[in-house]
Amino acid sequence: MARMNDVGGMQGFGPVDTTDDTQPFHADWEARIFALNGALIAQKVYNLDEFRDAVETMPPAEYLAASYYERWFFAIRTLLERKGVVAAGELDD
């Protein structure tokens, strides 16, 4: 079964933006999410395969509406709950 992120061969998403973007992060929180993910993987809280799987479990409508690092944040929250590092809902607004 294909997940939302598996769009190979699908059409209707419009042109791919190939604009050269020299900034790796567009906001401070994105850099923090990047660093947090690296730290959690380094501490073996979860691994890269688990992280990718968590990104791919994001509900389709949310996945399409989310930015790249919003998807990362979703995955981190999901894994921290799955691993029992935080209680379910503890990181909700």
Side-chain angles (χ1 to χ4, degrees):
M1 180 168 117
R3 293 181 175 176
M4 186 62 240
N5 66 303
D6 184 13
V7 294
M10 291 184 169
Q11 297 182 15
F13 290 101
V16 174
D17 182 4
T18 58
T19 305
D20 188 19
D21 189 355
T22 60
Q23 298 296 325
F25 308 108
H26 297 100
D28 289 343
W29 71 267
E30 292 178 342
R32 290 186 189 110
I33 291 296
F34 181 86
L36 178 61
N37 188 52
L40 291 167
I41 290 172
Q43 291 296 311
K44 301 186 185 313
V45 175
Y46 55 80
N47 64 43
L48 191 56
D49 289 334
E50 291 173 307
F51 173 74
R52 186 179 63 218
D53 179 68
V55 169
E56 294 173 1
T57 63
M58 191 174 207
E62 291 178 38
Y63 183 90
L64 290 173
S67 71
Y68 186 73
Y69 287 106
E70 286 172 333
R71 293 174 188 149
W72 279 40
F73 186 50
F74 171 87
I76 290 169
R77 291 175 55 199
T78 298
L79 288 167
L80 291 178
E81 288 182 5
R82 276 188 200 166
K83 302 286 184 169
V85 176
V86 297
E90 185 176 340
L91 299 177
D92 291 348
D93 294 334

